Amino acid sequence: MNKTITIDGKTIPFEDGQTIMAAATAADVYIPHLCHHPELSPHGSCKLCTVKVNGRNCSACTFPAAEGQDVLNNTKEINDDRQKITQMLFVEGNHFCPSCEKTGNCQLQAVAYHLNMLDNHFPLFYPKREMDASHPDVMIDHNRCIFCTLCVRASQQHDGKDVFAISGRGINKHLIVNAQSGLLKDTDLDMNDKAAHVCPTGAILIKRTGYQVPIGQRLYDHHEIDQVSLVTENPHHGE
Amino acid sequence: MQVFIENLAASHNYQPTRLMLILRAIQDRYHYIPEPAIRQLAGLLKIPGTQIIGVIEFYSFFHLTPRGQYELLISDSITDHMLGKHNLMAYLSAKLQVAVGAVRSDGLVSLDNMSCSGLCDQGPAGLVNGYALTRLDRPRIDLITDLINQQKPLDKWPGELFQVNDNLIKSGLLLDDPIAPGDALRAAFKRGLQETLAEITQSGLRGRGGAGYTTGWKWHLCYEGPEENAFCDVDAQKQLQRYVICNADEGEPGTFKDRVLLSSYAHQVFEGMTVCAAIVGATEGFLYLRGEYLFLYDKLQAILAERRQADLLGGNILGKGIAFDIEICLGAGAYICGEESALIESLEGKMGIPRNRPPYPVTQGYLGKPTVVNNVETFMAAASIAVNGGNGFANMGTEKSKGTKILSISGDCSQPGIYEYPFGATIQTILNDCGADDVLGVQIGGPSGTFISNQELGRKLAFEDLATGGSFIIFNNSRNILDIVHNFTHFFAHESCGFCTPCRVGTSLLKQQLDKIVDGHGSAGDIVALEELCQLVKSNSHCGLGQTAANPILTTLERYPELYQSQLKKISYEPGFDLDGALETARRMAQRNDAAAHLEQIGEDHE
Ligand SMILES: Cc1cc2nc3c(=O)[nH]c(=O)nc-3n(C[C@H](O)[C@H](O)[C@H](O)COP(=O)(O)O)c2cc1C
Ligand code: SF4
Ligand code: SF4
Ligand code: FES
Ligand code: FES
C-alpha cells in the first residue's frame, strides 16, 4: 500500500525518508524555493518553501513527509508571506535587476515575479558590499548574495572541495572563501565546478559569458519558474 | 605564537570539538585571533580555515582585529539602563578616553556594549577580560581607570570589584533542602534506575529552561534512542553512545538563577546530570556555561575534581560499574546558543545555528547521538526527586505545573535576587514579597516572554498562564514602555543568528520600524505595518528566537495601543529617509544653499 499525504487537497504519494518538497516535486507540484536543490542536502534557511502541515508552519524542503499530513501550499495567505520574505531578500542586498547580468536567468527575480511582487515594500538597507573579480574565470558580487549556501554545499558535496562558507552573525552574515588572502583567485575553485554554476542569483557569475543571450530571450523571460523548476528537478516530469 | 598554538591544540588532543575553548585561550592571550593562528589551527585540527573564521565572527567575544589589553564590556540589559548605565557609560568613555566600540590608540583598553550579563540584581555590570564586574558606579569607574592606566594585572585588582553575591532571598522546596553529595545516586541505585525514572515522570517535572517539556519523557526517549534501535537487543542498546548536557547558557535578559544555582548548589546540579546519565546510559556529559560566567569556571572545575575523588564521577561510580564524567565548555557571547540544537553545534566547535527538526536531540544530538539537554534547575530538581521521590514535588504547584519555580527578580523593587515559589503563586504575591510598589508592569519570561500591565497582577506563575524560564523584571510608573520595547527589540536584532530570512532581515526591520515610530517619524500606516511585520517574523522564523522576537512589540501594542498612536505624526505618509538631507552632498558640490536647492519633506496634513 502506498503512503500518501495531501497537498492543497490533492493526494500525493511519498516514500519513507522523502521530504514534503521531494514528494511534491515528484508529483509535479511546485513549492517555491531558493535554498533547496534536489542534488544537495537540505538547508531550510530561506523559508520560501514554508507550508502549513496540519495547521503548523514547516519548511517543505526539510520536513519529512508522513502519513496523514494535510499540507497547504498554494494559498493566498501563504503566498502573501512568501512574497514578503522575498521582499526581505531584495531589501537586504543591493539588487538592481536592470543592470544585473543575471536578469532573466535569476531565480530570485523569477520567484518574485511568480509571487506577484510589485515593489520592495520594506525600506532598502543599502549595505556596503564588495566585489571579488580576482579569479580568472569566476567573479563574486556580494551585493546579490542571499546566503542560501548552495555554493557552499555544492563545493563540499559535489566538487569535493571547500571553497565557500558563510560567516558572521545576524544581519552581518557574509560569504567568505577558503584562502588566506580571502580572494577567490587563491582558492582551488575551477570554472567547471558545480559551485560556480549553482547560485540562484547574480552573486556568482562566470566571466566572459555576459550578455551572450540577449535580455528578452532568457529562461524566465518566457517561462514561469514553477514550470522550469519541475522540468529541471523532476526527472519524471509530465509522465 | 606558533609554539603556544601547537601546545594549546595538543592540550585539547587536536579535537575540533574543542574549538571554542581553544579560541578563548588565544583571545585571552593576544586579545584577538591573529590570521596565522587561524591557518595553523586549521592544519592542526584538520578543519577548513573558513570554519574557524565563521566561529570567530559569530561569537561576540572573539575578534579578528585586536581589542585592548583590557577588554571592557558593559551590560546593555534594560535593568542596567534603569540603574543609570547610559550616564555611566558616557562617564567611563570620557574617563578612559576611548569611544564605545573602539580601542584606545595606545592599544591598552577597548570599550563596548554587551548583551545582558546575568547580574541584573547587582548592576550596572560588565566584564573585564571576561571577568564579571558588579555594582559599577563613578568611584568604581575611577578606580578601574587608574588600575588600567597603571597596567595592574587583573589578579592585583581589589576583589570587591569582582564580588558577585547570591542574593538568595526566598527559598522553598529545593533551595531549603539541598541534597548531600552522593545521596541522589545512592537513592537511585537503591530504588532501581528505571524506578527512579518513573518517580521523575510521576513528579510531573517539566523543563525549567522555558519550553516545559516533561523531563521524564525526554529521558525515556533518549534511553530508547532512534527508532531503528528499537529492535536491538538490550546489549546493543547499552553499546550506543549517549550524552547528557546541562544548559547553563542563561542568556535571556533578566535571568540569573542558574548563576546562583551553580555558585551554591553545583553538587546537586552535577548529581542530577549523573543520575540522568545512569538512567539513559550516557558516559559523557557537558556543562555548557555561558562565557559571561567565567568567574564560576575554576570553582566548578574544583567541584568536579572533588566528585571524581569521591567516586561520584569517573569510571566506576559508587562501585556500581557505571561510568560518567562531565566536561565544562564555555560559550562566547551568543544568546542563540541557549537554544538546545544551537548549543550542540557550539559544543561541536561550530557557529551556533539551530538545526532543522526533526530529528530532535534526544535521538540525534551531540555528534549525531541521542542526547538529553536540560536546564540547570531541571537537573537540580531531578536530583531532589531522586532522593525524596516524586510525590512531594507532585503535591506542590498546579494541575499542569508541578513543584516550584526559582525566579530571578530584578528592576524596580527593594530586594532584587533569587526567589522560589510553588507554581500557582500570583504575581501580586511575588511583588509584595520583593518590595515592589507603584508598579507599571512586569516583564515575565524576559524579552521573549510577556509584558503584563498592572491590571493583570492576579495572574499566576504557571505553564498554563504565565510561563517563565526565571526572568521577572519589574517596572514602576516612572518608566517608559517604549524605552523597554526599544531595548528588547534591539537585543533580538543583535542576537539573531542570521540563518533564516524572516529572523535575519525581519529583526532588523522590526528595529527600524519601531525606531521610526518611537523617534516620532511614524504616520498612520506605520503601526499596521509594524504589526504585520511582527506576525510575519513570528510565524515564519526557523527557531524560538525569531518566533518570539516580536513579543515585546506585540504584547505592549495589545495593552497600550494609545501609547503607540500618540507617537505618530499627523500625516498620512512619512518617507523612510530624509529627502532634504540626502541632497546635502549635492548642495556642497554645487556650492548652493538657496531655497530651490532644498526639497521639502511631505508636510503635515491640515486638519
Ligand atoms: C533562543 C533560545 C534561547 C534559549 N536559552 C536557553 C537558556 O539559556 N537556558 C535553557 O535552559 N534553555 C534555553 N532555551 C531552551 C532550550 O532550547 C531547551 O528547550 C532547554 O534547554 C531544555 O531544557 P529543559 O527541558 O530542562 O527546560 C532557549 C531556547 C531558545 C529558542
Ligand atoms: S541577482 Fe537577480 S534579483 Fe539580484 S539584481 Fe540580479 S537579477 Fe536582480
Ligand atoms: S553566492 Fe549565491 S549560491 Fe552562494 S550563498 Fe550567495 S546566493 Fe547562495
Ligand atoms: S527552500 Fe526550503 S527553506 Fe529555502
Ligand atoms: S534562525 Fe537564527 S534566529 Fe532564527
Side-chain angles (χ1 to χ4, degrees), chain A residues 43 57 92 167 173-174, chain B residues 35 57 356 497 501 504 539:
Chain A
H43 193 241
N57 279 345
E92 179 191 23
S167 184
K173 278 236 138 54
H174 55 272
Chain B
E35 158 68 31
E57 292 197 300
N356 286 301
C497 81
T501 315
R504 181 182 68 245
S539 53

Side-chain angles (χ1 to χ4, degrees), chain A residues 16-28:
Chain A
D16 280 334
Q18 253 182 340
T19 59
I20 292 176
M21 178 72 81
T25 307
D28 267 344

Side-chain angles (χ1 to χ4, degrees), chain B residues 11-30:
Chain B
S11 74
H12 288 283
N13 285 326
Y14 306 101
Q15 291 296 309
T17 47
R18 296 296 196 85
L19 186 60
M20 294 288 287
L21 288 172
I22 294 174
L23 291 179
R24 168 172 286 275
I26 302 175
Q27 174 75 35
D28 192 40
R29 172 149 178 165
Y30 299 101

Side-chain angles (χ1 to χ4, degrees), chain A residues 21 32-36 43-50 59-62:
Chain A
M21 178 72 81
H33 56 272
L34 281 171
C35 73
H36 163 77
H43 193 241
S45 63
C46 74
K47 299 300 173 200
L48 222 66
C49 69
T50 303
S59 304
C61 69
T62 59

Side-chain angles (χ1 to χ4, degrees), chain B residues 336 354 495-500 503 541-543 545-546:
Chain B
I336 189 61
E495 296 295 340
S496 165
C497 81
F499 172 75
C500 72
C503 174
S541 287
H542 176 67
C543 77
L545 190 154

